[in-house]
Amino acid sequence: MTTRPSPVPAVLAVLSCLAALAAGALQLRGAPPTGYAEVFAPVWVAPVAAVAGLVAVGLGTRLPRVTVPVGWAAVVLLFWGSGGLALEGFRAFFAVTGIPAGDFAEVDVPGMVVRTLSALAAVTTVLYTWGVGRRLRPAARGGRHRPRYLALAMCVPYPSLKVYWWLGGTFGRPEPHTGGVPWMELVLFATGALVVLGLTGPVVEGRLRPALLAAGWLGSTAALTMGALMVFGTLSQLLGVSDGPVDLDAGAVIGLVAMTYGSWLVVGVALLAATLQAHDDRRPGAPNRAVGDRVLRGAA
């Protein structure tokens, strides 16, 4: 007997995609972004992504083999549309406090709304697409440490680059450069490493479990939006899809930027995979890693 999936993820995905579509359509009618706002995704990305998400949900469980690829394509575009959302908090901070930061402190309110709703639509579409795809595959019983190894490896490049600049390295270093200890980058990526270790270790029970899952969603969303901002933005500029502010004549520096910010994108993907697998640990028929680890320890 096959149980029908809960309609709640579908409802949430539809509502969030409709909200992103409405906000994106309103932004299309406004003035084009200028100044620092040019680094964000083109204004057409969010509405197109939202429509793709609605199409995926509309296909539903009747055509799961079509729903899944359409849903994941929508997720990629939605994360691009939400690209740089983490920067919005910093921009708002400088705007509210009055600390001089040039164009960075000029908050693009319509764009901020679109990026926030796109991120919400991305998360709900991930949940819906993952749920539909889960019916096409058996419960995974191997490879659960792959997100761990991938995320831990990708937590190294960006903080290492910051430490290199702090120690006096000049290659690719933006000017002016304060030269301060990169505490924020070290703490953020260390926290991300701890979260992925918790998600891929023995199943956590009790009150810590919701907090760990919330950290996984928050970390993966932040990393994906930051990675998508730079990687997809640079690729679209290289392909002539958009006219962004990246200096394509910077030579090897472009490769350095792609490597470091690409690591954000990979960390986000690995964290997302680990978070979804941790969700699956509690569904009926899923392998119990906590029991399995005890059995292995007893056998040893």
Side-chain angles (χ1 to χ4, degrees):
M1 178 179 177
T2 303
T3 58
R4 294 181 62 84
S6 169
V8 174
V11 171
L12 292 177
V14 167
L15 291 177
S16 57
C17 285
L18 284 175
L21 176 59
L26 289 174
Q27 189 184 29
L28 279 172
R29 296 174 60 87
T34 58
Y36 191 88
E38 290 181 321
V39 304
F40 297 111
V43 292
W44 56 264
V45 173
V48 169
V51 169
L54 290 172
V55 170
V57 179
L59 292 171
T61 56
R62 294 168 297 177
L63 297 170
R65 297 190 183 280
V66 180
T67 299
V68 171
V70 173
W72 286 121
V75 166
V76 171
L77 289 175
L78 284 167
F79 273 121
W80 183 17
S82 64
L85 179 59
L87 293 176
E88 300 289 11
F90 292 103
R91 299 182 76 195
F93 170 79
F94 286 114
V96 170
T97 59
I99 299 175
D103 290 346
F104 188 75
E106 298 178 5
V107 179
D108 173 22
V109 176
M112 183 176 181
V113 172
V114 171
R115 285 181 278 279
T116 302
L117 293 175
S118 294
L120 177 61
V123 171
T124 56
T125 306
V126 163
L127 286 169
Y128 181 78
T129 306
W130 180 266
V132 173
R134 195 167 54 194
R135 302 179 67 197
L136 300 176
R137 63 182 186 276
R141 298 184 181 277
R144 287 182 169 271
H145 286 167
R146 292 173 188 170
R148 171 190 290 186
Y149 302 140
L150 186 59
L152 291 179
M154 290 298 102
C155 280
V156 175
Y158 189 77
S160 297
L161 177 65
K162 291 290 188 174
V163 171
Y164 163 72
W165 287 341
W166 169 57
L167 293 175
T170 57
F171 178 72
R173 188 176 70 184
E175 298 297 344
H177 182 63
T178 60
V181 181
W183 292 115
M184 181 178 294
E185 289 83 356
L186 294 172
V187 170
L188 285 176
F189 278 87
T191 303
L194 290 175
V195 170
V196 79
L197 285 173
L199 290 169
T200 56
V203 176
V204 176
E205 302 290 353
R207 296 180 179 178
L208 183 58
R209 179 178 174 78
L212 187 60
L213 291 173
W217 281 113
L218 180 63
S220 60
T221 301
L224 283 167
T225 56
M226 285 299 297
L229 170 67
M230 297 303 298
V231 175
F232 293 148
T234 303
L235 285 176
S236 65
Q237 191 173 339
L238 284 169
L239 295 173
V241 176
S242 65
D243 185 20
V246 178
D247 183 7
L248 298 179
D249 297 325
V253 175
I254 294 296
L256 179 66
V257 171
M259 180 193 71
T260 52
Y261 283 96
S263 68
W264 284 75
L265 191 63
V266 179
V267 166
V269 171
L271 262 175
L272 181 60
T275 304
L276 290 170
Q277 288 179 352
H279 275 287
D280 277 359
D281 286 336
R282 293 298 296 273
R283 68 186 177 93
N288 189 327
R289 283 190 285 145
V291 174
D293 288 343
R294 289 195 295 270
V295 171
L296 289 175
R297 286 196 298 267

